[in-house]
Amino acid sequence: MTNRIRDSVTYKILLSFIILSLFLTLITTAISTYVQYQDELNKIEKEMGRIEKSFLPVLSESLWKMDKDGIMLSLNGLSYLPNIEYVEIKHKERIIASSGDGQSKDIKKREFQLYRHFAGKKIHIGTVHITLGMNKIYANLYMGAFLNLASRG
């Protein structure tokens, strides 16, 4: 009797439909997760642009004046922004100040050069290194993909 069921046209059509539905669910989930990932990367890039415009000028001024309180205030503010785990300022490979702790396994790093105009010259006064933790982003993507599969599957 089970062989008759497996050989029937209805069974084959039903099985084909289930396999096709599963395949389409996986494809749409993968596309959705990729779009969300790109959106997160775009948010990070926008945040880096805001940092470059708002934090770096203040940080350059504080560094030029060697205002340790101003430097630490800026670095602490940066380290509290979403996904930023660690920030440091270096000058000639020497760490001048740092804030935060890089605990994520998956990270992205960015660096910004700090300059000061003095006596008609552009002087390099340091480099800001920013470590971005990707673990929270990945966890959110995995959870979103799981929920997407669970709701459609």
Side-chain angles (χ1 to χ4, degrees):
M1 173 111 176
T2 56
N3 284 340
R4 275 181 64 195
I5 294 173
R6 287 186 189 162
D7 292 337
S8 73
V9 174
T10 306
Y11 177 78
K12 290 179 182 179
I13 290 173
L14 181 61
L15 186 60
S16 297
F17 179 74
I18 290 171
I19 291 171
L20 180 64
S21 294
L22 179 60
F23 178 73
L24 290 175
T25 299
L26 290 173
I27 293 296
T28 57
T29 299
I31 290 170
S32 174
T33 302
Y34 177 76
V35 167
Q36 288 173 349
Y37 177 69
Q38 290 301 317
D39 187 46
E40 290 298 324
L41 292 181
N42 288 336
K43 287 179 187 175
I44 288 172
E45 286 305 313
K46 285 181 183 177
E47 189 66 33
M48 292 298 112
R50 283 192 289 272
I51 287 169
E52 193 168 18
K53 290 178 183 172
S54 61
F55 277 90
L56 296 188
V58 173
L59 207 46
S60 291
E61 190 65 26
S62 295
L63 187 59
W64 181 255
K65 294 177 180 178
M66 288 306 293
D67 174 11
K68 291 181 182 180
D69 290 336
I71 292 169
M72 287 311 299
L73 187 64
S74 293
L75 291 184
N76 288 337
L78 282 170
S79 69
Y80 285 118
L81 292 174
N83 303 314
I84 295 179
E85 292 189 353
Y86 181 73
V87 184
E88 70 182 10
I89 299 176
K90 283 186 173 182
H91 181 69
K92 297 183 180 178
E93 298 304 315
R94 189 177 130 246
I95 296 175
I96 295 171
S98 66
S99 180
D101 56 356
Q103 295 183 352
S104 290
K105 186 172 55 171
D106 295 311
I107 60 171
K108 289 193 182 292
K109 292 188 174 194
R110 293 290 302 266
E111 71 177 45
F112 298 97
Q113 304 304 317
L114 298 175
Y115 293 97
R116 173 73 176 176
H117 292 282
F118 183 73
K121 293 183 180 180
K122 189 176 180 181
I123 302 168
H124 181 262
I125 59 174
T127 305
V128 177
H129 296 269
I130 298 176
T131 302
L132 299 150
M134 300 299 287
N135 286 0
K136 289 178 186 174
I137 291 172
Y138 293 153
N140 288 339
L141 289 173
Y142 292 141
M143 182 57 72
F146 173 75
L147 292 174
N148 198 350
L149 284 172
S151 69
R152 293 182 186 184

